[in-house]
Amino acid sequence: MNTPANQITQVSQIQWLDSFKQSIGLATSKGPDALDLVRQRAGKALASEPVPFRKMERWRYTPVDGLFKLPLNIVKSAPANDRDFSDFFTLGLDSYRFIIADGKATFLGDVNNLPAGVTLTSMHTARQQQPELLSRYAGKIMNHEGADNGFQTSGSKKDSRLFQHLNQSALTDGIFIHIPEGVKLEKPVEVLFVKTGDEADLIQTHNVIVLENKAEMTLIENHASEKASDSFSNNQFEIDLQNQSRMKHYFLQNQHTSNWFRQGIHRTQSSESHYQGWFGCCGSHWSRLELNAFFTGENAVSDIKGIQLGMDGQVNDIHMDIRHDLPHCQSEQHFRGLVSNKSKIVFDGNITVSKDAQKTVAHLSDNNLMLTRNTEVDAKPQLEIYADDVQCSHGTSIGELDEQQVFYLRSRGIDENHARSLLSLGFVAELIENIELEEFRQHMLDLLDQQLRASQRVETVNGSN
Amino acid sequence: MLTINDLKVSVEQKDILKGLSLQVNAGEVHAIMGPNGSGKSTLSHVLAGKDGYQVTSGTVTYKGTNLLDLETEERAHQGVFLAMQYPVELPGVNNMVFLRESYNALRKARGEAELDSAAFIKLVREKADQVKLPSKLLKRSVNSGFSGGEKKRNEILQMALLEPSLAILDETDSGLDIDALRIVADGVNQLRSDDRAMIVVTHYQRLLDYIKPDVVHVLADGQIIKSGDFSLARELEDKGYGWLLDGEAA
């Protein structure tokens, strides 16, 4: 059925991809700066890159054909500048704010009022004003020999970097954050990625974040949409955490359940750096989050937690690659998933501990709850250990709600739908409690409660049909 | 209050209750005793509406309506409460939240306004003191990591809070020490009133010493084979069930 030969035919049938390739060929180059070289290199790679399909190990459980059939517009004019998106900033935090509306980034704060040496700006502006600084990092972190391990550990050509190349060959707008040595950014940075309108657009952003030695910051990403649309967001983050820097990263993807979403986050961490990430993957018809981390120094810590929600015919995919090449680093990876109503969760978590990475501490867990029939969970934890003095563990589970628990709640007067919502919320509560930022934690709780109840209503309607 | 007439119930094709009849009036406390496997827990579960039991014949009338027609939560709304023999743990579900959801669900069903958070917390603290449940257990997940005695006290707390019309205690005394037993008995005695009824299912006389039921029934092989006053419980404690079962056979 799905032979490579068929695939090759299919490649030429992806209209939006063909249009995109033509458009980058025609794009006028603003000058041969370093980023143009990155862009051109990616453009060349894109031309010959195979399209992901089921026979590739990393795409085995994630159906992607529908994405290639979308009638995507590859050029999108940015929305008017006077649009007000303040309603989307629901956390009520005193923060530095960015808006990225349909891929166009705007920093809302006063650049003259930032701590000395701090850069918070759009990629577009950074390219004009700080090209040397930007070109030191953009395209470098994600193409780092080690950070790019998602590709390498597959051990074969059975993968596709189509979306990475697609992103880099456009090298569109996004945010650029550079925190100089020793600076602790007191206020968090909040970035709203919003898709406006109902057009089926290809929207790409490329974002670069650099924390120099001993720098600290908190980043909050919120991915939302105004309306239903068959749009596809393809985002890329590059994060470089230098010696003893600390970053807290909160991610919420709650786009409309008609949208398609992919985001890669490539991260390198130097000695004694500390990264704490929390990922709420709730929205979109189809979403794929790729988390890659690579330690370039010893005694670094990476702690990521997240939840995956598939409530309404969704596909929710997390692919994670953590690579320990050096000794004494620690990585914690803990995820939970809730899936119902013809939805699917894919979790592919890889940790590689090379032979020199002695004293590595690495733990991975992924637990899922299937709330209804007609759901699917594909959980694939993989721990490859080549060192002999490490503390590592991994485990996954896929289960259902315990009917004894449902009965207990019902016998106390709580109706069945609400009982199931409470228990489902209880299943992810432990991870939610780990969210340090109180406003974000409360927001996640409210959001989950709301989505679980809505999902129960869907199931009740379907069940009575 | 509750009239059970010739109730027959089977579980996976196996007959458990074989024509049980029972009349419980408002203001009364009934004890149901009987050997293992006689159908005591089945009776409790059927009254609370648990799945997995097939009622093959008979009727259960509660406050004039057919109890078996009601969903589990509707029975709770109507004032039926089952204190479980094995209260389940609900990881991640906060005890205080659970108690409030339950309390307000019942108020809502009665057409009353929900109690606000502050007033509710005050109420729960009072009730928790009564049943000697450490207040730190209110902040934990429901029954998670609770000792056996703490779980039972949490059941009695719920009973005290929800003030049911018909409370069924399914072997709530099993595995409890004397102090915990007193707390269970106090919980029952405090709720005793002219407009409430209680069914206390138990193996042992000990709990009944504190509760002093109005009527004692012996349930054996799916039927009530003897009823009497509190002295029957004493007799059972002395003689066991053998003499009744033998009499039945003869």
Side-chain angles (χ1 to χ4, degrees), chain A residues 259-318:
Chain A
N259 294 169
W260 297 64
F261 179 91
R262 179 233 162 233
Q263 178 159 317
I265 302 178
H266 285 69
R267 169 165 44 98
T268 49
Q269 276 190 249
S270 306
S271 298
E272 295 174 45
S273 62
H274 194 282
Y275 174 84
Q276 191 184 331
W278 204 97
F279 296 87
C281 307
C282 303
S284 294
H285 173 65
W286 181 98
S287 75
R288 178 172 170 110
L289 185 63
E290 296 170 2
L291 302 172
N292 284 17
F294 181 71
F295 297 109
T296 58
E298 298 185 13
N299 295 302
V301 178
S302 164
D303 174 7
I304 57 183
K305 298 191 170 72
I307 55 169
Q308 286 176 278
L309 220 59
M311 293 283 111
D312 186 15
Q314 294 165 263
V315 174
N316 189 325
D317 171 5
I318 291 181

Side-chain angles (χ1 to χ4, degrees), chain A residues 247-266:
Chain A
M247 179 174 180
K248 288 181 184 170
H249 187 179
Y250 300 93
F251 168 97
L252 170 60
Q253 187 273 105
N254 191 33
Q255 285 196 313
H256 193 276
T257 51
S258 57
N259 294 169
W260 297 64
F261 179 91
R262 179 233 162 233
Q263 178 159 317
I265 302 178
H266 285 69

Side-chain angles (χ1 to χ4, degrees), chain A residues 300-433:
Chain A
V301 178
S302 164
D303 174 7
I304 57 183
K305 298 191 170 72
I307 55 169
Q308 286 176 278
L309 220 59
M311 293 283 111
D312 186 15
Q314 294 165 263
V315 174
N316 189 325
D317 171 5
I318 291 181
H319 265 67
M320 194 189 68
D321 288 277
I322 309 293
R323 182 149 150 192
H324 290 261
D325 270 9
L326 293 170
H328 298 288
C329 289
Q330 180 179 358
S331 72
E332 296 292 329
Q333 293 69 217
H334 301 282
F335 291 84
R336 292 208 171 182
L338 295 170
V339 60
S340 70
N341 302 330
K342 298 180 186 165
S343 298
K344 179 177 191 174
I345 282 178
V346 180
F347 179 84
D348 190 330
N350 301 279
I351 301 174
T352 310
V353 181
S354 308
K355 69 175 174 14
D356 295 332
Q358 300 295 0
K359 304 286 182 191
T360 289
V361 177
H363 301 109
L364 166 65
S365 70
D366 177 48
N367 303 301
N368 299 279
L369 206 51
M370 294 170 122
L371 301 176
T372 61
R373 291 168 190 199
N374 62 41
T375 54
E376 183 175 331
V377 175
D378 300 288
K380 211 173 78 173
Q382 297 189 92
L383 202 45
E384 280 182 49
I385 304 172
Y386 300 99
D388 53 15
D389 183 13
V390 299
Q391 285 179 47
C392 297
S393 69
H394 70 90
T396 50
S397 70
I398 301 169
E400 292 176 295
L401 281 180
D402 180 349
E403 291 304 319
Q404 304 279 347
Q405 296 178 337
V406 177
F407 171 70
Y408 190 73
L409 289 170
R410 292 179 69 196
S411 78
R412 299 304 184 249
I414 296 167
D415 73 60
E416 183 170 357
N417 286 347
H418 190 32
R420 291 182 185 278
S421 299
L422 278 175
L423 292 168
S424 307
L425 207 53
F427 182 75
V428 295
E430 197 185 310
L431 282 187
I432 306 268
E433 279 158 20

Side-chain angles (χ1 to χ4, degrees), chain B residues 153-228:
Chain B
R153 268 180 256 181
N154 205 29
E155 293 292 290
I156 300 304
L157 168 64
Q158 292 164 44
M159 186 174 79
L161 188 68
L162 302 178
E163 302 185 320
S165 306
L166 174 66
I168 304 149
L169 285 80
D170 186 9
E171 301 203 24
T172 306
D173 53 339
S174 63
L176 293 187
D177 59 26
I178 290 285
D179 290 340
L181 210 58
R182 281 223 169 94
I183 287 166
V184 171
D186 287 349
V188 170
N189 289 332
Q190 275 168 17
L191 267 187
R192 245 174 155 146
S193 77
D194 288 345
D195 55 359
R196 292 207 176 93
M198 282 178 240
I199 298 173
V200 181
V201 176
T202 180
H203 255 318
Y204 307 106
Q205 184 209 342
R206 220 170 40 168
L207 176 66
L208 303 182
D209 285 341
Y210 298 111
I211 292 180
K212 299 258 172 1
D214 302 298
V215 190
V216 176
H217 307 277
V218 179
L219 177 61
D221 194 27
Q223 287 182 313
I224 286 179
I225 56 168
K226 193 167 179 64
S227 301

